[in-house]
Amino acid sequence: MSTTVKDRFYPVKSIMVSQPEPADISNSPYHKLADKYKIKIDFRQFIKVDPIDSKEFRKQKIDILKHTAIIFTSRNAVDHFFRICKDSKIEMPPEMKYFCISEQTANYLQKYIVVRKRKVFVGERTAQDILNVIKKHKNEKYLFPCSNIRKDDIPSFMTKNGYNFTEAIIYRTVAADLSDLEHITYDIVAFFSPSGINSLFVNFPEFKQNKTRIAVFGPTTAQAARDAGLIIDIEAPLPNAPSMTGALELYIKKANGLK
């Protein structure tokens, strides 16, 4: 008889979060979760970013300045795009437009440009949000700086609807070395991207889930976990728990017999 999620409410004492430790850990919701339920929470980035240098970028035959708008979906994309520009001695013209997936990404742009003097358009949080903004600017020549591994939603939308659109790979997302974790076990491992799931099996091809609970954020991460044969015990976002920490707390309360 196969194991189902309802059978897997074992007590939780430790969690591995497959992301870097928050900069302000004392104010992090993970810190509050650990303190409230007296559990250990460790952080470890399961993926790493390798830059593509300007010489390799030139092989893509992309003229950045022939575009009128840039789409940014992450801080990594912002950093590596402006690194390529600096290495290639390219200066962004004042009239360049920037379409950012979130306010957080837009604010991060200030590291490289004076945002108040530029045309910056912002989505609320998701790719669909920024696509709704892009629909109002159909005549731009868009450049999408991204990783070799990225979601299909933006490229598919742009291609399907006939936008002038170029995809530029400016960094690679690869598995980090997790070999030092080989003999360390956690009650829960939390994943946030398909790349994180891939990294687990790149590092540990013979990984057996056993009593390890798997937490995932987002439908693409969930699908990657299922494709890898993992049982998903905690899936976020939920209507009553939009964050990973919220979903973890609901599970911990039940697994640890708390109200």
Side-chain angles (χ1 to χ4, degrees):
M1 183 175 178
S2 63
T3 302
T4 61
V5 171
K6 68 179 180 180
D7 301 319
R8 292 173 52 82
F9 284 97
Y10 318 120
V12 177
K13 294 181 180 179
S14 62
I15 299 174
M16 166 58 77
V17 177
S18 62
Q19 287 188 329
E21 182 173 277
D24 187 2
I25 186 63
S26 62
N27 288 319
S28 162
Y30 289 103
H31 175 78
K32 294 172 184 174
L33 190 69
D35 188 57
K36 183 176 181 179
Y37 296 101
K38 308 305 178 191
I39 58 178
K40 175 186 178 184
I41 300 182
D42 289 338
F43 298 86
R44 181 66 175 272
Q45 180 71 287
F46 274 38
I47 58 176
K48 66 174 184 173
V49 170
D50 283 349
I52 285 176
D53 63 28
S54 55
K55 182 179 178 181
E56 189 174 354
F57 176 75
R58 285 196 292 273
K59 293 178 181 178
Q60 297 180 56
K61 295 181 165 48
I62 295 170
D63 186 341
I64 291 174
L65 294 180
K66 283 192 174 179
H67 298 82
T68 61
I70 316 290
I71 302 171
F72 287 123
T73 58
S74 71
R75 290 185 177 191
N76 276 331
V78 173
D79 281 336
H80 287 280
F81 174 76
F82 283 99
R83 174 185 55 79
I84 289 286
C85 288
K86 182 179 179 181
D87 291 349
S88 304
K89 295 181 171 55
I90 294 171
E91 187 172 337
M92 287 294 99
E95 62 271 17
M96 182 67 76
K97 296 178 181 177
Y98 302 90
F99 290 78
C100 299
I101 197 168
S102 67
E103 192 74 41
Q104 184 182 39
T105 305
N107 289 338
Y108 192 68
L109 261 181
Q110 295 180 84
K111 184 176 177 181
Y112 298 99
I113 65 171
V114 181
V115 171
R116 62 184 174 81
K117 293 184 178 180
R118 304 299 174 98
K119 296 178 180 178
V120 179
F121 304 88
V122 185
E124 290 182 17
R125 192 170 63 90
T126 68
Q128 187 56 55
D129 294 331
I130 196 60
L131 289 174
N132 289 336
V133 178
I134 287 172
K135 287 177 184 177
K136 301 172 184 177
H137 301 268
K138 294 183 177 180
N139 297 323
E140 304 296 337
K141 296 177 181 178
Y142 287 95
L143 182 66
F144 179 41
C146 60
S147 167
N148 62 316
I149 299 174
R150 49 91 179 127
K151 295 180 181 178
D152 289 332
D153 40 14
I154 289 176
S156 294
F157 172 87
M158 303 297 277
T159 302
K160 181 180 177 181
N161 290 281
Y163 284 79
N164 191 322
F165 168 78
T166 306
E167 184 174 325
I169 296 173
I170 56 172
Y171 63 97
R172 293 189 184 88
T173 304
V174 298
D177 181 4
L178 307 175
S179 56
D180 58 306
L181 298 179
E182 183 175 5
H183 302 296
I184 301 173
T185 59
Y186 289 86
D187 296 321
I188 298 174
V189 182
F191 292 95
F192 300 82
S193 70
S195 300
I197 301 288
N198 177 65
S199 178
L200 175 69
F201 287 96
V202 166
N203 280 277
F204 311 114
E206 303 302 318
F207 175 78
K208 298 291 189 294
Q209 185 172 356
N210 299 323
K211 287 189 176 183
T212 301
R213 269 59 49 83
I214 299 295
V216 297
F217 191 90
T220 57
T221 309
Q223 189 58 53
R226 294 188 185 99
D227 290 346
L230 297 172
I231 298 169
I232 297 174
D233 301 276
I234 303 152
E235 191 167 353
L238 299 169
N240 56 342
S243 66
M244 175 61 86
T245 49
L248 287 169
E249 183 168 17
L250 288 177
Y251 179 89
I252 291 166
K253 282 182 179 178
K254 188 166 184 177
N256 291 11
L258 303 169
K259 291 184 180 181

